[in-house]
Amino acid sequence: MDLAENCLQGQTLEFELNGYDTRSELLQALQDGRIDLIFHANQNPYFAETNGFALSDTLLTLNMAAITAKDSFDENKENIVAVEKDNFALKAYLSYNYPQWKVVEYETSDAAVKAMQKGETDCIVSNSGTVSDYLKNNKLHSVFLTKEADVSFAVQQGEPVLLSILNKTLTSMPTTQFSGAVVSYNASSRKVTAKDFIQDNLLAVSLIVGISIFVVLCIILDSLKKSKRAEEKSKKSAEQALKLNQELEEKQQELQNALVEAQSANKAKTSFLNNMSHDIRTPINGIIGMLTILEKSGNDAERAKDCMNKIYESSKLLLSLINDVLDMAKLESDTVVFGDESINLDQVCQEITESLSFQAEEKGLHVIGEHDDYSGIYVWSNAVHLKKILMNLFTNSMKYNKVNGFIYMSMRTIERSEDHMTCEFKIKDNGIGMSEEFIKNELFTPFVQADNSPRSDYNGTGLGMPIVKQLVEKMGGTITVESKLGEGSCFTVILPFKIDTNVRPEEKEDFDADISDIRVLLVEDNELNVEIAEFMLTENGAKVETVNNGLEAVQHFEASEPGTYDVILMDIMMPVMDGLTAARTIRDLERQDAKTIPIIAMTANAFREDAERCMEAGMNAHLAKPLDDEKIKQTIREELRKQNACHE
């Protein structure tokens, strides 16, 4: 509030803070007009509309965690969650992000915790700042949820002026100061009472008290014994005191080490946030800047075309950054799914070469490639992960090369039996190279780059090599590096494969990806995404009908005549009913076309496990956002071709 009062130029806002004992009283005060706004309320438009208030733009985002007494917890299942009856903010978060969960209300938060501990419910949900309070009970576990809580102001409906002022305040508020205040508040140490210290260090306190009492008793006995015996007792007490002193010094050292670790972790977090802030803002700044130039370029077609190309390149950089950060997070949390599929190594290498050679040649680099003949050999592996490894290495060779430099790629078999083989992938360049110290200490450390000069442009996240190393190791392989400053680098990856001895290579048919007059039911809740998807589809001749959530999709399909729609494009995360539930519901309808109509997921959930969940829900294919015009056409036409083949 202090930051918000003076953030509007020439204007001063005044906030009077009123406190309420319960959230119900808080909500009632807003509805009665006794207060103008609430902080905070979770983003849930349906809940807000039901209770008669409107939400501002997002002020901050909280990480949320499930606290459970169970050995395992999966947020994608239909869990039972215990919630304090009066906590409307948490109930709003759950209904919006986890509509499949069953919410059980309790009069107090303590009652909700006890119900979870007894196994009456699967979990309680808390923000990350209070997780450590629950984990003092070693029978409880925390699982951080993938869906964060967006926090906003809430005002009465029919107050557009106040809502506009708040949104302008959020836009004008100094982001760095506000972020620093939030981080400082969340990271501040809770006041430790004597009771907390004794509970957390019960063994050490008991030991100190016990030995202290023992020393006092020894002193009393010494005064009652003879001189010689007193001397022996005194000597023994001195030894015990010395031992106690040593133990206390060891405890002190342990605390000092813990403090150093905490400071190091905080420094790493700060470095992470600084790099993230720079690398996200760089392409965003490029996009906003080019849009400004585009707006003022008038009828200059050449200038407009140049701006559009730069916006497209900046968008690709931003998407690459997000993908790298998500990949790294999933690898470090060990949640990457390493499902195998039968792939042809020859085809994988060809796709990578075709994808990257043109880019290298545009930069004036010479690409030399050679590999053994794998045209008839199929192995069990993961094509996406293998491509990510090789493409990251190749991209690094392009990025840190010299003018007229070369990149050498090779793949060869170094060991083979009847059903197993080991392959060596080598990527070599004559670029700027790396120092031995950098390779040893920093190459595989996230957010570190060999060229550590001030970041004047976007050079990547520094996550490429850590991702490569973790993927290689999880696939059972090894990676080695040879490099000299000014002379270039050579990366060698060795991976084992199990040969698919029963493979029958598929013959792919060429077909026309024409979707003219195809009737599409588009299910999407985001207005901007609707506009983009409708444009792509209608530009290619498709006929589109749009609904805003999964429930509307089910109702429209059920009310339509058989054959009204040729295909359904379904978003996954939507209010009222999500896309997975909608797909299952449509498949369960008692009509023939409900079983056969292609349902294609169109979602920002882009990981392999997300695609598998879509298939399990009865969908036919998975399109990851941002949408690609050609990919949409090819996927729709391919699924319709498969459907026609089944009917024949």
Side-chain angles (χ1 to χ4, degrees):
M1 294 303 183
D2 291 339
L3 292 174
E5 284 184 347
N6 299 300
C7 69
L8 297 179
Q9 295 181 356
Q11 300 291 330
T12 300
L13 302 175
E14 293 183 5
F15 295 89
E16 178 184 344
L17 305 181
N18 293 336
Y20 292 86
D21 293 331
T22 67
R23 294 177 179 84
S24 296
E25 293 176 357
L26 181 69
L27 185 58
Q28 191 62 49
L30 178 66
Q31 294 171 341
D32 294 343
R34 286 181 280 127
I35 57 176
D36 300 304
L37 62 146
I38 289 175
F39 178 82
H40 64 82
N42 282 85
Q43 282 282 8
N44 187 330
Y46 177 78
F47 185 87
E49 183 175 354
T50 303
N51 289 274
F53 60 84
L55 296 169
S56 73
D57 294 339
T58 298
L59 174 60
L60 61 90
T61 299
L62 299 175
N63 292 318
M64 305 298 286
I67 311 299
T68 179
K70 298 182 178 296
D71 293 332
S72 62
F73 181 85
D74 185 351
E75 67 175 311
N76 296 306
K77 293 184 177 179
E78 298 179 358
N79 297 297
I80 302 175
V81 56
V83 179
E84 181 184 1
K85 183 178 181 180
D86 196 45
N87 195 341
F88 74 84
L90 181 56
K91 288 190 286 185
Y93 163 80
L94 291 169
S95 66
Y96 186 72
N97 291 284
Y98 297 97
Q100 75 274 25
W101 290 14
K102 179 181 178 182
V103 175
V104 180
E105 297 182 347
Y106 293 85
E107 290 297 327
T108 65
S109 60
D110 287 341
V113 172
K114 289 178 181 178
M116 175 270 294
Q117 291 174 320
K118 292 178 182 178
E120 296 174 4
T121 65
D122 296 312
C123 67
I124 61 171
V125 171
S126 168
N127 71 64
S128 59
T130 60
V131 168
S132 59
D133 293 335
Y134 294 104
L135 298 186
K136 289 183 178 181
N137 182 341
N138 58 19
K139 294 182 180 179
L140 300 181
H141 316 286
S142 67
V143 178
F144 280 88
L145 302 174
T146 59
K147 298 173 183 176
E148 300 168 326
D150 291 329
V151 175
S152 306
F153 289 105
V155 304
Q156 271 189 318
Q157 289 182 356
E159 292 285 349
V161 175
L162 176 57
L163 192 62
S164 176
I165 291 173
L166 289 174
N167 286 335
K168 289 178 181 177
T169 301
L170 296 182
T171 304
S172 304
M173 189 179 294
T175 305
T176 53
Q177 292 183 31
F178 177 70
S179 300
V182 173
V183 171
S184 174
Y185 177 81
N186 286 335
S188 61
S189 300
R190 181 171 60 89
K191 183 179 179 182
V192 180
T193 65
K195 180 180 178 182
D196 292 333
F197 180 83
I198 292 172
Q199 287 178 340
D200 292 341
N201 302 275
L202 185 59
L203 180 61
V205 172
S206 300
L207 181 63
I208 293 170
V209 172
I211 293 178
S212 300
I213 294 173
F214 181 78
V215 172
V216 173
L217 289 175
C218 287
I219 294 173
I220 295 173
L221 290 174
D222 282 344
S223 65
L224 302 175
K225 300 296 180 181
K226 294 180 180 180
S227 176
K228 184 177 180 180
R229 195 169 179 182
E231 290 177 3
E232 293 176 353
K233 290 286 185 180
S234 177
K235 183 179 179 181
K236 186 176 181 180
S237 297
E239 290 174 351
Q240 290 173 335
L242 180 61
K243 182 180 179 181
L244 174 62
N245 188 53
Q246 290 174 340
E247 291 177 351
L248 290 175
E249 288 180 355
E250 290 174 0
K251 289 289 183 183
Q252 249 182 344
Q253 187 60 46
E254 289 178 7
L255 290 173
Q256 182 65 29
N257 293 341
L259 176 61
V260 171
E261 288 182 10
Q263 290 173 338
S264 176
N266 192 54
K267 184 178 179 181
K269 180 181 70 176
T270 301
S271 176
F272 172 87
L273 291 174
N274 287 340
N275 281 325
M276 280 289 292
S277 175
H278 175 276
D279 287 337
I280 287 178
R281 288 173 185 273
T282 298
I284 289 179
N285 182 63
I287 293 170
I288 295 174
M290 286 300 107
L291 287 173
T292 302
I293 295 173
L294 186 63
E295 183 181 10
K296 297 180 179 181
S297 62
N299 297 322
D300 189 342
E302 193 64 30
R303 188 67 179 273
K305 183 179 179 181
D306 180 60
C307 289
M308 294 299 292
N309 288 334
K310 289 176 180 176
I311 290 171
Y312 180 67
E313 290 302 319
S314 295
S315 301
K316 289 199 299 182
L317 289 175
L318 185 59
L319 182 62
S320 173
L321 166 67
I322 293 169
N323 286 336
D324 279 353
V325 172
L326 292 176
D327 283 341
M328 196 69 211
K330 291 178 79 66
L331 282 166
E332 289 189 338
S333 63
D334 202 25
T335 57
V336 174
V337 176
F338 280 86
D340 283 345
E341 57 186 332
S342 182
I343 64 172
N344 177 239
L345 292 176
D346 202 57
Q347 182 180 349
V348 170
C349 287
Q350 182 181 353
E351 290 176 359
I352 293 172
T353 303
E354 290 176 353
S355 173
L356 296 174
S357 293
F358 179 72
Q359 297 178 35
E361 289 167 2
E362 275 194 329
K363 292 178 176 288
L365 302 174
H366 306 285
V367 180
I368 304 170
E370 60 180 16
H371 59 82
D372 294 346
D373 182 12
Y374 295 102
S375 55
I377 300 174
Y378 284 73
V379 298
W380 291 105
S381 186
N382 187 296
V384 173
H385 295 150
L386 180 56
K387 288 179 183 178
K388 184 173 286 290
I389 291 169
L390 299 179
M391 291 180 77
N392 268 324
L393 294 176
F394 192 97
T395 303
N396 263 14
S397 290
M398 284 197 297
K399 190 185 303 179
Y400 300 111
N401 217 312
K402 302 174 182 176
V403 178
N404 294 321
F406 77 84
I407 301 175
Y408 169 79
M409 300 176 61
S410 73
M411 181 176 76
R412 65 188 185 93
T413 304
I414 59 176
E415 186 179 349
R416 177 170 178 176
S417 64
E418 184 177 344
D419 55 357
H420 284 81
M421 65 187 302
T422 302
C423 293
E424 176 195 80
F425 303 86
K426 191 182 293 287
I427 296 181
K428 183 178 181 180
D429 64 71
N430 64 339
I432 64 175
M434 297 172 286
S435 68
E436 185 176 344
E437 181 182 357
F438 179 82
I439 294 173
K440 182 179 179 181
N441 299 321
E442 298 179 336
L443 177 60
F444 297 112
T445 301
F447 286 103
V448 174
Q449 295 171 324
D451 180 9
N452 206 22
S453 57
R455 302 163 74 91
S456 60
D457 58 2
Y458 179 85
N459 290 319
T461 61
L463 290 174
M465 294 312 301
I467 290 173
V468 166
K469 187 173 189 296
Q470 292 209 40
L471 284 175
V472 168
E473 291 176 350
K474 289 181 182 295
M475 294 172 72
T478 60
I479 180 170
T480 55
V481 188
E482 298 175 20
S483 184
K484 287 186 179 180
L485 279 173
E487 296 183 15
S489 305
C490 179
F491 291 87
T492 303
V493 174
I494 296 177
L495 292 173
F497 298 105
K498 182 180 179 182
I499 299 174
D500 182 4
T501 55
N502 299 317
V503 70
R504 292 183 179 178
E506 294 182 5
E507 295 183 2
K508 294 189 176 181
E509 299 179 13
D510 293 330
F511 64 93
D512 181 15
D514 179 19
I515 59 170
S516 299
D517 296 325
I518 298 298
R519 294 157 298 180
V520 180
L521 177 60
L522 175 63
V523 190
E524 171 64 71
D525 65 311
N526 182 279
E527 291 184 6
L528 183 58
N529 288 340
V530 168
E531 183 177 352
I532 294 169
E534 285 183 343
F535 176 81
M536 289 182 175
L537 292 167
T538 55
E539 277 292 299
N540 286 287
K543 299 176 180 178
V544 183
E545 182 177 346
T546 303
V547 294
N548 296 319
N549 59 63
L551 181 59
E552 290 184 12
V554 173
Q555 292 171 342
H556 273 66
F557 185 83
E558 192 172 16
S560 68
E561 292 293 327
T564 300
Y565 306 110
D566 296 312
V567 65
I568 299 175
L569 292 183
M570 181 83 73
D571 186 25
I572 299 302
M573 296 178 63
M574 294 181 291
V576 185
M577 180 185 288
D578 64 87
L580 298 178
T581 304
R584 293 190 190 97
T585 305
I586 290 173
R587 293 299 189 212
D588 289 338
L589 294 176
E590 295 296 329
R591 49 190 281 181
Q592 184 57 38
D593 60 339
K595 317 296 181 186
T596 59
I597 186 171
I599 303 178
I600 300 172
M602 187 181 61
T603 172
N605 298 337
F607 291 108
R608 179 188 176 92
E609 51 268 38
D610 298 318
E612 289 176 350
R613 280 195 291 269
C614 293
M615 301 306 108
E616 291 169 1
M619 297 188 179
N620 301 82
H622 177 272
L623 289 171
K625 296 175 182 176
L627 299 176
D628 178 84
D629 184 59
E630 287 300 319
K631 187 68 174 175
I632 290 177
K633 291 194 297 180
Q634 290 174 3
T635 304
I636 291 175
R637 179 49 66 187
E638 173 65 14
E639 293 306 320
L640 291 174
R641 186 185 68 82
K642 290 178 182 178
Q643 182 189 37
N644 293 333
C646 290
H647 289 164
E648 291 174 1

